[in-house]
Amino acid sequence: MRELVLISGASTGMGAAAARELAGRGYHVLAGVRRESDGDAIRADNLEPVLLDITDSGQIDAVAERIAGDPAGRPLRAVINNAGIAINAPVEVLSMEEWRRQFDVNFFGHVAVTKAVLPFLHASGGRVVNMSSIGGRIAMPTYGAYAGAKFAMEAMSDSLRRELAPHGVQVVVVEPGGVRTEMTGHGVERAEEVLVAMDPANRARYGGLLRAIINQANAFTTSGLPAEKAALVIAEAATARRPRKRYTIGRDAALLVRLSRLASDRVLDRVLAANLRPHFPVEAR
């Protein structure tokens, strides 16, 4: 158990819960945070905060140097690529700057971290755990940028798994559904800002839809799984002797994954529309 685990996006939510769970199991967790104050809040036995903005190559290099120079000579058991942001907006409305930002954080940053730590995983026979989403299987309206990055994460994970399997490094994907995390709340705040900033024409087209998405996200916040339950699945994905290739978190994620495999696009469109309809403002239904 004297091994290292690196996890990004560990300030709050599933990342923080997974860091605590793994530290409690005896791993020495390098918990990536973006601010010193966030690190002070989660520091504990076996839980060492490290500054890790995954879009900052200098911080990625510094974390790689920390692993290479570990004073106890501990190997890296796993990297858990968890950091992420969510900004809900229709494709027509979301700015190109925000499109690029979501891909930088939700995809390209994880590729950069993975490339930086793969030499350590080759040496240890370790594991890459990529946090995807049910949005990596099904793209709901206003989730174009977020789901696009998650679809890319799924594809990269498949390719990477097949590349690394002959060399003893495993790649596992985790697909959460509704989980109560701060990211959901931040996403709602950003969606509210998008709604306010819409011009009249776009508000007429998409205002009711975006309001429904916000209401649905708020419902997830109250009914979703607690982050601590999700952390048990993440820890299993990172440490199981014979892990599955993919794990889902929550009954909603498991159901939607099955539905995506079996239903036609026409049927899936109808199911998603029916699921969203109760969240529309009355005047927009």
Side-chain angles (χ1 to χ4, degrees):
M1 299 293 281
R2 292 182 58 79
E3 297 174 304
L4 301 175
V5 173
L6 171 64
I7 179 167
S8 62
S11 299
T12 59
M14 288 187 292
R20 288 191 291 267
E21 176 65 27
L22 287 161
R25 297 186 184 195
Y27 294 91
H28 187 84
V29 180
L30 302 177
V33 299
R34 296 183 67 234
R35 292 178 292 270
E36 294 279 3
S37 58
D38 294 334
D40 293 338
I42 65 169
R43 191 185 305 275
D45 290 344
N46 289 337
L47 205 165
E48 176 187 341
V50 292
L51 286 179
L52 182 57
D53 177 342
I54 65 171
T55 65
D56 185 326
S57 60
Q59 290 190 5
I60 294 172
D61 290 343
V63 168
E65 290 173 6
R66 163 64 186 83
I67 296 168
D70 184 65
R74 291 166 291 203
L76 182 65
R77 167 51 38 201
V79 58
I80 303 174
N81 289 311
N82 171 73
I85 59 172
I87 306 171
N88 289 97
V91 171
E92 185 176 2
V93 172
L94 190 66
S95 70
M96 290 308 301
E97 179 184 6
E98 293 293 358
W99 272 90
R100 294 186 179 96
R101 182 177 174 223
Q102 290 211 64
F103 270 79
D104 280 343
V105 176
N106 294 337
F107 179 62
F108 291 118
H110 297 309
V111 175
V113 170
T114 301
K115 286 168 65 68
V117 302
L118 269 175
F120 308 112
L121 297 176
H122 282 301
S124 66
R127 187 171 304 170
V128 178
V129 178
N130 285 332
M131 295 299 297
S132 180
S133 165
I134 188 57
R137 297 292 195 98
I138 296 175
M140 292 176 56
T142 78
Y143 282 82
Y146 178 82
K150 293 300 186 181
F151 269 70
M153 178 73 98
E154 295 268 354
M156 183 272 288
S157 298
D158 284 346
S159 183
L160 186 66
R161 184 181 70 249
R162 291 157 186 159
E163 292 166 3
L164 296 180
H167 308 291
V169 177
Q170 298 167 315
V171 178
V172 180
V173 174
V174 179
E175 298 166 336
V179 178
R180 298 197 296 269
T181 69
E182 287 80 353
M183 190 179 82
T184 303
H186 295 324
V188 167
E189 293 172 4
R190 295 187 182 101
E192 292 279 9
E193 294 169 359
V194 170
L195 187 58
V196 169
M198 278 185 189
D199 61 47
N202 280 329
R203 190 175 295 113
R205 293 187 190 99
Y206 304 118
L209 170 63
L210 190 51
R211 176 54 60 190
I213 291 292
I214 291 170
N215 292 341
Q216 187 182 58
N218 283 327
F220 276 149
T221 302
T222 57
S223 66
L225 284 175
E228 290 71 21
K229 291 286 188 182
L232 297 176
V233 180
I234 298 168
E236 171 75 7
T239 64
R241 183 170 174 271
R242 293 175 61 87
R244 302 199 298 267
K245 300 297 187 290
R246 279 178 169 80
Y247 291 80
T248 56
I249 297 179
R251 295 177 62 186
D252 58 332
L255 176 62
L256 286 171
V257 165
R258 292 192 189 99
L259 187 63
S260 70
R261 292 170 179 161
L262 299 174
S264 68
D265 287 342
R266 189 185 303 276
V267 169
L268 193 56
D269 286 351
R270 289 174 178 170
V271 169
L272 294 177
N275 189 52
L276 188 58
R277 192 173 297 117
H279 299 284
F280 274 83
V282 172
E283 65 276 10
R285 291 179 188 171

